[in-house]
Amino acid sequence: MVYKAWVAKVAKQPMAFTTVEPGPLGTEEVEVAVEHCGLCHSDLSIFNDEFGISQFPATLGHEVVGRVTAVGSSAKGVAVGQQGGGGWFSGGCMHSRQCLSGRQHLCPQAQLTIVGHRGGFASHIRCHWAWAIPLPDGLDLADAGPRHFAQTVREVRRALPNARVEVLTPDFCGDLDAVAR
């Protein structure tokens, strides 16, 4: 399968809409067809290499929700057709003290979704099954990404109760081109 994606080839330059070949699905991986992906300031920081950890080319977007389209043969707890998504992390070692105690986010080998991995400004995203977050059917996916994964909308609404908060969604017709400029 070939993905469509907005790819930043270098820092601070417009993203290009292109195709990406993800290779075969790993045995413990989950693939999600992206329906919505929030835009977080961290995406912009990686885009601008503000943290000094960016790796290019980069596909940004780590507040991802959609439907599971494929599940590796050893993946657990996620089924094809299920609503789900991913966040800041897309994988970890799964054998460190942190991973075995349920604190995978502290794994010394944690894989960031948008650094050295492909994020959600794409038609699909992949992650380790432990990082795929199942979502209940009926949940409004347009609202779920930022609220569920980065809590951006909730925090802005708490700080500015009368603020209007919008979520950008890649539609593969050019909307994100303006964001990259």
Side-chain angles (χ1 to χ4, degrees):
M1 168 183 257
V2 176
Y3 296 170
K4 296 176 183 177
W6 284 98
V7 177
K9 297 187 184 217
V10 296
K12 302 178 183 179
Q13 296 299 311
M15 292 184 282
F17 185 62
T18 188
T19 58
V20 177
E21 172 56 57
L25 184 70
T27 60
E28 295 192 340
E29 281 189 308
V30 172
E31 181 178 81
V32 175
V34 177
E35 293 184 29
H36 300 279
C37 182
L39 175 65
C40 177
H41 191 270
S42 298
D43 294 306
L44 299 176
S45 294
I46 295 297
F47 176 78
N48 291 316
D49 198 20
E50 293 172 5
F51 301 147
I53 61 170
S54 301
Q55 295 177 20
F56 295 96
T59 303
L60 305 174
H62 65 275
E63 298 174 348
V64 182
V65 292
R67 289 234 174 241
V68 176
T69 55
V71 177
S73 61
S74 298
K76 302 172 187 171
V78 184
V80 171
Q82 182 176 19
Q83 287 189 156
W88 182 247
F89 295 103
S90 58
C93 73
M94 302 310 293
H95 63 266
S96 67
R97 177 177 49 84
Q98 294 87 342
C99 286
L100 294 175
S101 67
R103 295 177 295 147
Q104 296 95 328
H105 63 288
L106 298 175
C107 175
Q109 296 175 29
Q111 172 65 59
L112 300 178
T113 298
I114 60 174
V115 178
H117 190 77
R118 294 183 186 98
F121 293 171
S123 59
H124 294 77
I125 189 170
R126 289 183 178 174
C127 64
H128 185 276
W129 64 264
W131 297 95
I133 302 169
L135 298 171
D137 285 332
L139 183 65
D140 179 7
L141 292 182
D143 201 30
R147 284 184 175 218
H148 191 71
F149 301 114
Q151 300 177 338
T152 304
V153 174
R154 180 174 52 174
E155 296 305 319
V156 169
R157 285 184 178 154
R158 183 181 304 155
L160 304 166
N162 297 321
R164 179 178 173 179
V165 179
E166 296 185 27
V167 178
L168 296 176
T169 305
D171 68 0
F172 307 109
C173 294
D175 289 351
L176 284 180
D177 187 47
V179 173
R181 292 181 185 189

